[in-house]
Amino acid sequence: MTDNVILVGFMGAGKSSVGRILAARLGRCFVETDEMITAKEGRPIPEIFAEQGEARFRALEDEAVRLLALKRGDVIATGGGLPCRGGRLEALRAIGTVVWLSGDFATLYERALRGGDRPMLHGRTREQAEALYEARKSFYSRADLAVDTTTLNPDQVAAEVQKALRGWARPPQHWPPHPTLSPSGGEGTLS
Ligand code: S3P
């Protein structure tokens, strides 16, 4: 298998920790879209949101998705909102096998609150965060594979992803990929 493995899912799904473990086990490089953006901008994501707003962050994600087309054989963790706008999930599927790390809302929300500063949870009630989660599920569910993380730790999730990948025959892709990105059709501003 030479294509990328791309992890998508809501905040708290464990994309970064699982991605790191998976990359080590598969002997591959690990890439994070949030890290690509942070490195390029020279500042943390909460600062980008606070000073330039969500729209700017989403534009930076577009650029990151374009750069991902250059990756080969990497494990890639995406930000929770990245696949949730027009054409992005399909653009990811064009460059690798997309795996949705799913889970029930209560579990993901609790994990997300515990770990790190998440601007998308600022000023949102639990109910609003759950509405965001529900709206995003229709995007995530277009992934090639899904692993339910609700009762599993990152090690166990990584093992389940490996198992799922072994049973997965990726359909042939045209080369070069032509991801179609459109500015509309996303979840919009939900604050
Ligand atoms: C976001 C999730 C974050 C990060 C940014 C926006 C989102 O990544 O990309 O704060 O829209 O859900 P994690 O999913 O790793 O928290």
Side-chain angles (χ1 to χ4, degrees), residues 73-147:
D74 290 350
V75 174
I76 300 166
T78 58
L82 185 140
C84 307
R85 30 223 1 108
R88 288 207 188 150
L89 202 283
E90 289 65 33
L92 297 178
R93 289 189 69 204
I95 58 153
T97 303
V98 179
V99 185
W100 174 21
L101 301 189
S102 68
D104 67 40
F105 172 72
T107 305
L108 301 185
Y109 185 64
E110 203 211 300
R111 286 189 203 144
L113 288 181
R114 256 191 284 128
D117 183 0
R118 291 191 155 94
M120 289 301 285
L121 297 180
H122 293 174
R124 269 195 174 81
T125 62
R126 190 183 197 282
E127 288 66 35
Q128 288 167 331
E130 186 161 13
L132 181 64
Y133 164 82
E134 289 299 330
R136 286 179 169 184
K137 279 203 309 203
S138 64
F139 292 94
Y140 301 142
S141 63
R142 303 209 294 262
D144 299 301
L145 301 167
V147 170

Side-chain angles (χ1 to χ4, degrees), residues 25-126:
R25 288 196 188 157
L26 296 173
R28 302 196 188 190
C29 293
F30 177 58
V31 177
E32 276 190 281
T33 56
D34 282 350
E35 272 303 311
M36 291 166 71
I37 292 170
T38 302
K40 178 182 178 289
E41 292 299 287
R43 54 192 172 152
I45 284 164
E47 220 173 284
I48 300 171
F49 268 80
E51 287 169 21
Q52 295 173 284
E54 183 182 348
R56 170 66 182 152
F57 177 74
R58 300 301 173 196
L60 291 165
E61 282 188 329
D62 269 334
E63 215 175 306
V65 172
R66 278 192 289 273
L67 288 173
L68 289 183
L70 303 171
K71 306 286 179 197
R72 299 284 181 280
D74 290 350
V75 174
I76 300 166
T78 58
L82 185 140
C84 307
R85 30 223 1 108
R88 288 207 188 150
L89 202 283
E90 289 65 33
L92 297 178
R93 289 189 69 204
I95 58 153
T97 303
V98 179
V99 185
W100 174 21
L101 301 189
S102 68
D104 67 40
F105 172 72
T107 305
L108 301 185
Y109 185 64
E110 203 211 300
R111 286 189 203 144
L113 288 181
R114 256 191 284 128
D117 183 0
R118 291 191 155 94
M120 289 301 285
L121 297 180
H122 293 174
R124 269 195 174 81
T125 62
R126 190 183 197 282

Side-chain angles (χ1 to χ4, degrees), residues 6-22:
I6 303 153
L7 304 179
V8 301
F10 200 66
M11 294 169 272
K15 301 174 297 284
S16 305
S17 29
V18 171
R20 213 164 278 122
I21 295 167
L22 190 64

